[in-house]
Amino acid sequence: MVEWTDFERATIQDIFSKMDYEVVGPAALSRCLVVYPWTQRYFGNFGNLYNAAAIMGNPNVAKHGTIILHGLDRGVKNMDNMKEIYAELSVLHSEKLHVDPDNFKLLSDCLTIVVAAQLGKAFTGEVQAAFQKFMAVVVSSLGRQYH
Amino acid sequence: MSLTDKDKAAVRAMWGKISKSADAIGADALGRMLVVYPQTKTYFSHWSDLSPNSAPVKNHGKNVMSGVALAVSKIDDLTSGLMALSEQHAFQLRVDPANFKILSHCILVVIASMFPKDFTPEAHVSMDKFFCGLSLALAEKYR
């Protein structure tokens, strides 16, 4: 069971309640596909991913980025049982999508960068620690059902 | 994953924009590293104050960023350019090289927070590759 301090809970609720999922999701996913190009292997049917501009303008990438953020939202709303909440998605990523779980960390790092860019000075060390802890639990839960 | 000419140009351009704030970036990155990754505090048990805006943290942040500046100037051959620093880290400081990735991440987070418009995905990939190369050069003399 993950123990969350009051500060951590409040910080996570605050960050995500103020976030526009339709902006942040696409920004994070497209950044991941640019910064770690091997992650494109999972998106062969998304169309043009030939360069950064194409990736950032790709509507399939944008749509999927939003879907991912809504997936994160489930964790935000269920911080005390994330393992259970993500069990089904974990099976999906393992059995159907065959995603190497190392990729979850890469996307998580890109999301951290996007949030840092949005929050500026407000993204203090303590806020970053809370955010990265939350993402680490998501990543761990998503990798849980792999075998 | 070596640095292309495009990467080097991107790193130089980015450095041109951020170098005036190098001291502030270094202090912020180091300070937040100690908070976000508490295990890194083990290397600084000799400091009186490990809090984000303390004198030792600010001072050391400056040192770290002058190392980054050196790396930018030696970007065409990081291994020989950072040889002396590598020897220092290998034989005296003996910092586990896994921590280079941690500090690099914190530096990129600070750059993103301070220069959101400039830290585009293209700039990000080149800077990330640069810090990987820098870390590798720094670990060169370890064994």
Side-chain angles (χ1 to χ4, degrees):
Chain A
M1 242 306 261
V2 183
E3 305 235 346
W4 302 100
T5 64
D6 291 342
F7 173 81
E8 286 164 348
R9 283 183 198 277
T11 299
I12 296 304
Q13 297 309 311
D14 188 54
I15 291 176
F16 281 89
S17 67
K18 295 189 171 124
M19 196 189 280
D20 185 345
Y21 290 3
E22 301 197 353
V23 168
V24 171
L29 182 61
S30 56
R31 186 170 285 260
C32 187
L33 296 172
V34 170
V35 178
Y36 308 107
W38 54 94
T39 56
Q40 292 168 28
R41 75 190 304 284
Y42 301 108
F43 302 101
N45 59 342
F46 268 31
N48 187 357
L49 299 176
Y50 295 139
N51 53 43
I55 291 169
M56 271 125 74
N58 186 311
N60 289 319
V61 171
K63 187 158 153 243
H64 199 69
T66 308
I67 288 173
I68 291 173
L69 256 293
H70 284 289
L72 280 176
D73 189 71
R74 281 203 243 168
V76 174
K77 301 206 155 59
N78 294 281
M79 284 174 73
D80 290 313
N81 62 334
M82 280 165 63
K83 195 170 78 187
E84 291 83 1
I85 283 291
Y86 285 119
E88 213 185 299
L89 271 174
S90 179
V91 170
L92 175 80
H93 282 76
S94 164
E95 310 283 299
K96 187 147 174 275
L97 304 176
H98 308 293
V99 177
D100 180 343
D102 282 351
N103 290 282
F104 303 150
K105 175 114 197 339
L106 299 179
L107 180 57
S108 169
D109 283 351
C110 286
L111 182 59
T112 303
I113 293 279
V114 169
V115 170
Q118 286 227 318
L119 298 183
K121 281 202 178 63
F123 198 62
T124 62
E126 284 88 352
V127 169
Q128 182 181 346
F131 187 77
Q132 289 194 190
K133 179 175 167 179
F134 172 76
M135 290 309 297
V137 178
V138 174
V139 165
S140 168
S141 307
L142 269 180
R144 197 75 177 62
Q145 307 301 327
Y146 279 65
H147 64 95
Chain B
M1 292 198 265
S2 45
L3 294 169
T4 62
D5 289 338
K6 189 167 165 230
D7 290 321
K8 292 179 191 177
V11 171
R12 289 188 176 110
M14 197 70 209
W15 184 250
K17 296 191 177 116
I18 69 177
S19 57
K20 272 181 266 62
S21 313
D23 290 355
I25 293 172
D28 190 342
L30 194 67
R32 73 175 57 222
M33 182 189 78
L34 297 168
V35 167
V36 181
Y37 304 94
Q39 70 271 22
T40 57
K41 292 194 287 187
T42 55
Y43 290 100
F44 303 104
S45 50
H46 56 289
W47 284 358
S48 52
D49 188 351
L50 286 159
S51 59
N53 270 309
S54 65
V57 170
K58 278 186 164 146
N59 188 50
H60 197 64
K62 248 197 218 175
N63 287 342
V64 167
M65 292 309 280
S66 48
V68 174
L70 175 66
V72 175
S73 73
K74 305 282 183 185
I75 200 169
D76 290 316
D77 188 348
L78 287 168
T79 310
S80 36
L82 297 178
M83 188 68 71
L85 273 173
S86 182
E87 281 175 1
Q88 187 194 20
H89 282 74
F91 305 125
Q92 274 131 46
L93 304 174
R94 289 178 289 195
V95 175
D96 189 315
N99 294 289
F100 301 157
K101 204 162 196 282
I102 287 176
L103 183 52
S104 298
H105 171 70
C106 290
I107 293 173
L108 291 181
V109 166
V110 172
I111 294 175
S113 73
M114 287 174 71
F115 302 90
K117 292 213 166 49
D118 297 305
F119 199 59
T120 60
E122 282 120 315
H124 181 171
V125 60
S126 296
M127 289 296 279
D128 193 83
K129 286 175 74 176
F130 168 68
F131 277 103
C132 286
L134 194 166
S135 302
L136 203 60
L138 212 52
E140 175 70 20
K141 304 299 274 180
Y142 270 65
R143 58 177 174 173

